[in-house]
Amino acid sequence: MANTTAAMSANSAVTLPKRPNPVMTFVRQQPMGAVSFVVICAMMFAGLFPQFVAPYNPLDIDFSSLLAAPSWDHWFGTDAYGRDIFSRIIYGSRTALVIGFASSALGSSIGAVLGIASAYFGGRIDNWIQRFVDVLLAFPIIVLALVVVAALRKTVVYGVDVNLIIAIAIPILPRVARVVRAAALSVNVMPYIDAARAAGYSDTRIIFRHMAPNVVAPFLIMFTAFIAQAILLEASLSFLGLGVTEPTAAWGLMLSGNAADFYREAPWMVIFPGVAISLAVFAFNLFGDSLRDYLDPRFKT
Amino acid sequence: MKKLILGLVGVVAFTLAAGPQAEAQQPKRGGNFNFAISAETPHYDCHASDTYATLHFSSPFHSTLLRYNLSKFPDVEGDLAKSWTISPDKLTYTFTLHEGVKFHNGETFTSADIKATYDRLRSPPQGVVSTRRATFADIESIETPNPTTVVFKLKAVNSSMMDHFASPWNCVYSAKDLAADPTSPRTKINGTGPFTFVEHVKGSHVSGKRNENYFKKGLPYLDSYRGIFTLQAAAMLNALQGGQVLAEFRGVSPAERDRMVAAMGDKLRVEESSWTLNLLVLFNTEKPPFNDIRVRRALLMAIDRWGGSQGLSKISTLRAVGGVVRPGSPLATPEAELVKLPGFSKNIKQAREEARKLLKEAGHENLKFVLWNRNLAMPYTPAGVFLVDQWRQIGVEVEHKQSDTAPYIAAMQSGNFEVAIDFSNLFNDDPTLSMTKFISASKNPLNLSRANDAEIDKLYELQLREGDIQKRKQYIQALEKRLFEQAYQQPILWWHRIVLSHRTVMGWKMSPSHNLGADLAEVWLNQ
């Protein structure tokens, strides 16, 4: 009998397919997503440890090198204050990532909770939440952010403008709420939700323990996609003078101010920050798309 | 005969060649003049304002008693005053006024209007703001013996009195209007100036049309004008390039000038001058650690003004290094003396070493603070960026807080700041005007450093009462030395004025102050 069991175990070990490595599967299925993930990791490393990457202090003014062209000393040239543009881009990635991640996390999380609650409760609550979402969706994303940032002004905590994060998070919120609600509606009719209700679990427990984990895929996709949007919004607001202020290294800010006066003589002042913004937005968007393709079961059939 | 023909041809050729030029110098009447105003005034009252935005808006509607002759600046000439005499003891100023002057509402102008205007300036009634109250504190009485004579009697000799009378801020208002409602100039316009008010569309423009009853015969030349509010420099430059506006009279940066010259070539006129305007670094002496002279002085000593001047002058309107009087003007401290004062050393390495020592002595080696600044790109942002960098070099960490004008002014006036970039907006080189900011806060709320210093007050009074130029210069330099040694506040750099206009705009006169020459009476269009 023991021999028979051992033989069966050996047979099943041979016949069962090997569980594929999810990372390798992602790389194989979504090569562009993998490349964009590497770019994001590089950005994050630069943002976390800029002192190891940047050759100069981003605030160092050098009037003897005003508007210097790209060279071995200054890879991306210098700006109107003689500051090294490469170093400012490296340090600027910290601003972009902090505001991008924080805004997207805040907006996506609140949006997801609202979306799930809307689907779960239904009826008048659903109606009220969705009308609120409709109102927010009626404003173009940049206009809503502009209004909020102008109304809230600045509140700097540890060098980060908290109100800027809130201003960018608010336009993200309704978009995530709408998508997550759609996913949550299908989860809400699952038998295990009925079972949880029948077992007498609290609404909070059902929403956070049973529904939220099942809408993680659309949430993650929206979260990564909105990091790109948030980076773009931060750059736009800084460009318009409503984001971070000089001399903080920030990509949008690098495109405004003196850059508008000197871009003819020193085009590198706008080219490199522009490329940095494009690359970051492209990487996050591509990663988000790849994540969607990878996680969505419909794409696997 | 040949000679005669050649001679005639020569004369004809000369006439043809010279004709257009001679005609170009002859003012032409008519036309509408659009110009840019890069800020919008919060109200219409010249007496209560410190910003050029009010003057560029209001000056065409008003006259003043005296004014500066911009062809011979800083000489003073009459505006509503036809002539004047000053008593030998310099305590009585008697002005004879023009006759037949009418306000825009048809009332006749008399000496009573001058009296009412200056009474409002020196002793504003309840609910009225006069930022020139201290300036006219020496006036003891104003008498009007007849409708065309006004007599000012002073309590004490004031060396700056003629400059104060020529201030562009002293718009003359109607006595009847002021009697009916002393606050009316904030919202209503009734002057004797070359243009009458047509409309003010908030956020867009102000417009005026020729005052047909203007007391200076033949003026103004223009039929009408429109001052268009262009709050963004880029928008203003584009409008100038596209011909939507023909001039902007405040000033632009060297980079903006170069861009416009490249784009417009000889269609553009560029006029440059030093500027009676500076940015100051200001410490709130009531807030620790800025109540410690060592900390304040260390921060001033760390600023490399001479190096900064070379760099910043290429990218901003900041240029000249100077003390409290405009560099190059008669009463300014010469460079050889200036470099001996704290904050003006040319040996910046040594100065920064001393600054570090002072901070160490004061126990603030790792000082951190917030630098308040106005949210105006030019030249406030470059000045802020520059200061942050300079202080970083002695180990001080600064957060640069740029704020809109209203909250900025509120913070300055309430004392809710540590260090700030302030400005000194002058209209002449008279030191009394620039030094009023530095007399004790208990005497003058305009002293935003909140310092009280009896020595400075004494020197201010001495220079004010001194008739001898050399002695006055000594007092001014002594005051400057005291001010910089105590390090309450100090000029960062003085501005350089660059004005751009289309070559078709004629008759406007450049000066070192953007507060002057804004009435447009002599402006005409060569089209």
Side-chain angles (χ1 to χ4, degrees):
Chain A
M1 185 63 185
N3 284 344
T4 312
T5 312
M8 280 175 69
S9 301
N11 281 342
S12 62
V14 170
T15 53
L16 280 175
K18 196 180 171 187
R19 188 185 173 92
N21 182 331
V23 174
M24 289 314 295
T25 309
F26 180 77
V27 171
R28 201 171 52 251
Q29 289 179 1
Q30 307 292 337
M32 290 307 288
V35 171
S36 60
F37 183 69
V38 171
V39 172
I40 291 167
C41 287
M43 270 179 61
M44 289 175 78
F45 180 78
L48 287 170
F49 308 105
Q51 63 274 25
F52 299 128
V53 185
Y56 296 91
N57 185 315
L59 307 183
D60 262 351
I61 287 180
D62 180 3
F63 285 129
S64 62
S65 305
L66 296 185
L67 305 172
S71 65
W72 284 114
D73 288 337
H74 299 285
W75 294 354
F76 291 178
T78 65
D79 67 9
Y81 297 98
R83 297 177 299 195
D84 183 60
I85 289 177
F86 178 68
S87 303
R88 288 183 67 74
I89 285 177
I90 294 298
Y91 276 85
S93 64
R94 173 183 286 183
T95 310
L97 288 175
V98 166
I99 293 179
F101 266 99
S103 307
S104 185
L106 185 69
S108 300
S109 303
I110 298 174
V113 171
L114 277 180
I116 298 169
S118 187
Y120 175 75
F121 290 112
R124 287 177 69 182
I125 293 176
D126 184 30
N127 207 12
W128 277 106
I129 291 175
Q130 290 315 305
R131 295 304 72 76
F132 170 68
V133 165
D134 284 342
V135 169
L136 291 181
L137 283 173
F139 294 97
I141 197 160
I142 181 75
V143 174
L144 188 57
L146 272 171
V147 170
V148 176
V149 84
L152 294 179
R153 305 283 174 190
K154 283 190 172 79
T155 305
V156 178
V157 179
Y158 293 111
V160 178
D161 184 358
V162 177
N163 287 346
L164 181 62
I165 290 172
I166 294 171
I168 297 172
I170 288 175
I172 293 173
L173 186 154
R175 286 158 176 85
V176 176
R178 188 51 59 88
V179 171
V180 169
R181 176 182 172 269
L185 279 173
S186 57
V187 175
N188 196 32
V189 294
M190 290 291 172
Y192 59 85
I193 299 296
D194 290 337
R197 279 198 185 101
Y201 291 160
S202 69
D203 294 336
T204 314
R205 181 174 172 154
I206 295 171
I207 288 173
F208 284 102
R209 296 263 320 253
H210 300 282
M211 291 185 74
N214 289 291
V215 293
V216 157
F219 170 79
L220 277 179
I221 294 158
M222 298 293 281
F223 171 63
T224 48
F226 277 115
I227 291 174
Q229 279 272 17
I231 290 172
L232 209 54
L233 266 179
E234 185 276 318
S236 309
L237 292 172
S238 296
F239 178 78
L240 294 170
L242 294 165
V244 295
T245 51
E246 281 277 14
T248 310
W251 297 341
L253 199 59
M254 291 171 78
L255 292 173
S256 66
N258 274 325
D261 292 330
F262 295 107
Y263 71 91
R264 285 177 182 81
E265 303 96 303
W268 49 89
M269 278 180 75
V270 290
I271 289 173
F272 292 111
V275 167
I277 293 169
S278 305
L279 195 64
V281 171
F282 189 59
F284 276 106
N285 274 334
L286 209 59
F287 184 65
D289 284 353
S290 304
L291 210 57
R292 181 198 62 201
D293 296 350
Y294 181 70
L295 294 175
D296 193 332
R298 282 173 297 182
F299 287 93
K300 290 178 180 168
T301 58
Chain B
M1 187 65 187
K2 252 185 185 177
K3 276 184 182 175
L4 182 66
I5 293 168
L6 280 172
L8 279 172
V9 168
V11 168
V12 170
F14 177 77
T15 309
L16 285 173
Q21 281 182 355
E23 193 181 77
Q25 299 309 314
Q26 195 66 34
K28 292 177 185 169
R29 289 178 71 82
N32 175 67
F33 172 51
N34 286 346
F35 70 102
I37 307 177
S38 49
E40 187 169 3
T41 184
H43 56 77
Y44 305 160
D45 189 359
C46 311
H47 298 182
S49 179
D50 269 325
T51 166
Y52 76 98
T54 309
L55 288 181
H56 286 206
F57 182 104
S58 294
S59 288
F61 307 124
H62 294 286
S63 305
T64 49
L65 184 61
L66 300 180
R67 66 179 200 170
Y68 285 97
N69 179 345
L70 298 186
S71 302
K72 297 177 188 169
F73 184 81
D75 284 4
V76 167
E77 63 182 13
D79 193 11
L80 284 167
K82 197 159 57 178
S83 62
W84 60 90
T85 57
I86 304 169
S87 65
D89 62 3
K90 296 183 178 172
L91 291 174
T92 306
Y93 290 68
T94 306
F95 296 91
T96 304
L97 307 174
H98 282 283
E99 292 170 32
V101 181
K102 299 260 185 209
F103 280 98
H104 296 167
N105 66 357
E107 281 171 22
T108 302
F109 159 78
T110 68
S111 54
D113 300 308
I114 296 287
K115 178 174 164 48
T117 296
Y118 278 85
D119 280 341
R120 187 175 187 267
L121 280 163
R122 72 192 179 107
S123 179
Q126 190 75 24
V128 171
V129 176
S130 166
T131 51
R132 269 124 220 124
R133 190 175 182 164
T135 304
F136 292 109
D138 281 336
I139 295 176
E140 188 171 52
S141 67
I142 304 171
E143 294 163 14
T144 53
N146 62 56
T148 56
T149 306
V150 61
V151 182
F152 291 81
K153 291 199 170 163
L154 306 191
K155 295 174 200 163
V157 172
N158 185 323
S159 306
S160 309
M161 210 60 210
M162 284 301 278
D163 284 301
H164 292 325
F165 282 131
S167 164
W169 305 98
N170 307 340
C171 299
V172 172
Y173 300 140
S174 151
K176 276 186 188 169
D177 288 353
L178 296 181
D181 177 8
T183 63
S184 65
R186 284 186 79 84
T187 51
K188 288 175 190 159
I189 290 174
N190 179 30
T192 56
F195 291 90
T196 58
F197 178 74
V198 174
E199 66 173 357
H200 172 204
V201 179
K202 284 193 177 169
S204 173
H205 66 271
V206 56
S207 59
K209 64 177 182 183
R210 181 195 291 137
N211 175 8
E212 300 294 351
N213 297 318
Y214 188 47
F215 68 97
K216 292 180 184 172
K217 295 300 165 206
L219 296 179
Y221 298 119
L222 297 167
D223 284 342
S224 59
Y225 78 88
R226 180 174 281 211
I228 297 167
F229 309 126
T230 50
L231 307 189
Q232 295 289 331
M236 184 274 286
L237 294 175
N238 289 341
L240 190 66
Q241 190 178 337
Q244 286 92 354
V245 298
L246 298 179
E248 196 275 339
F249 296 127
R250 178 175 177 255
V252 299
S253 71
E256 289 165 343
R257 171 201 59 200
D258 295 345
R259 178 190 144 188
M260 294 303 287
V261 168
M264 294 179 65
D266 61 2
K267 285 182 184 168
L268 189 74
R269 182 189 294 113
V270 180
E271 293 172 275
E272 301 198 19
S273 164
S274 56
W275 207 336
T276 54
L277 191 53
N278 67 57
L279 289 187
L280 303 119
V281 59
L282 168 74
F283 301 105
N284 185 343
T285 57
E286 288 180 348
K287 287 223 170 179
F290 305 102
N291 54 355
D292 186 333
I293 185 175
R294 292 169 299 184
V295 173
R296 298 196 303 265
R297 198 190 275 198
L299 292 175
L300 291 187
M301 289 170 77
I303 303 169
D304 178 13
R305 287 177 171 76
W306 304 97
S309 162
Q310 288 182 2
L312 289 171
S313 63
K314 292 175 187 159
I315 60 167
S316 75
T317 50
L318 295 172
R319 183 174 285 195
V321 181
V324 298
V325 182
R326 182 171 64 108
S329 62
L331 293 171
T333 304
E335 188 177 315
E337 293 298 316
L338 201 61
V339 293
K340 296 174 190 167
L341 298 174
F344 289 91
S345 171
K346 288 196 173 180
N347 187 347
I348 192 62
K349 203 174 166 187
Q350 190 188 349
R352 285 186 182 145
E353 282 301 317
E354 286 178 41
R356 280 196 194 93
K357 276 184 200 162
L358 282 171
L359 284 180
K360 195 174 178 182
E361 272 177 38
H364 291 288
E365 280 173 288
N366 300 312
L367 183 63
K368 288 181 184 177
F369 62 85
V370 175
L371 172 69
W372 275 76
N373 196 1
R374 293 173 79 187
N375 194 15
L376 294 175
M378 193 55 65
Y380 291 87
T381 300
V385 171
F386 173 65
L387 287 185
V388 171
D389 174 68
Q390 299 295 292
W391 288 331
R392 195 180 52 77
Q393 294 185 44
I394 56 165
V396 174
E397 195 179 314
V398 182
E399 182 194 325
H400 185 210
K401 180 171 185 161
Q402 286 195 273
S403 168
D404 289 340
T405 301
Y408 166 87
I409 288 174
M412 296 298 106
Q413 289 177 345
S414 64
N416 190 21
F417 71 98
E418 295 172 304
V419 184
I421 292 178
D422 190 18
F423 63 97
S424 190
N425 178 10
L426 312 170
F427 59 86
N428 65 23
D429 293 323
D430 187 83
T432 305
L433 193 68
S434 57
M435 295 192 308
T436 311
K437 264 181 118 65
F438 311 128
I439 57 176
S440 290
S442 58
K443 295 184 174 182
N444 180 18
L446 284 178
N447 182 346
L448 301 174
S449 74
R450 301 176 164 247
N452 288 297
D453 191 315
E455 179 70 16
I456 286 181
D457 296 346
K458 189 179 123 195
L459 290 164
Y460 175 85
E461 277 294 316
L462 283 170
Q463 70 80 30
L464 183 64
R465 311 297 171 205
E466 183 55 61
D468 182 86
I469 283 286
Q470 286 310 316
K471 279 189 183 169
R472 195 175 176 208
K473 203 169 177 175
Q474 284 171 10
Y475 292 136
I476 292 162
Q477 289 187 10
L479 187 152
E480 197 169 53
K481 188 167 182 280
R482 172 76 183 175
L483 178 73
F484 296 166
E485 281 175 353
Q486 292 299 310
Y488 303 124
Q489 43 188 319
Q490 192 174 57
I492 304 167
L493 288 171
W494 287 74
W495 298 27
H496 181 75
R497 191 176 182 206
I498 303 170
V499 170
L500 306 180
S501 60
H502 280 236
R503 285 207 173 271
T504 50
V505 179
M506 309 294 282
W508 181 82
K509 289 183 184 120
M510 181 68 169
S511 73
S513 170
H514 62 308
N515 300 313
L516 302 176
D519 73 355
L520 308 177
E522 292 172 41
V523 172
W524 56 280
L525 299 176
N526 190 20
Q527 288 174 334

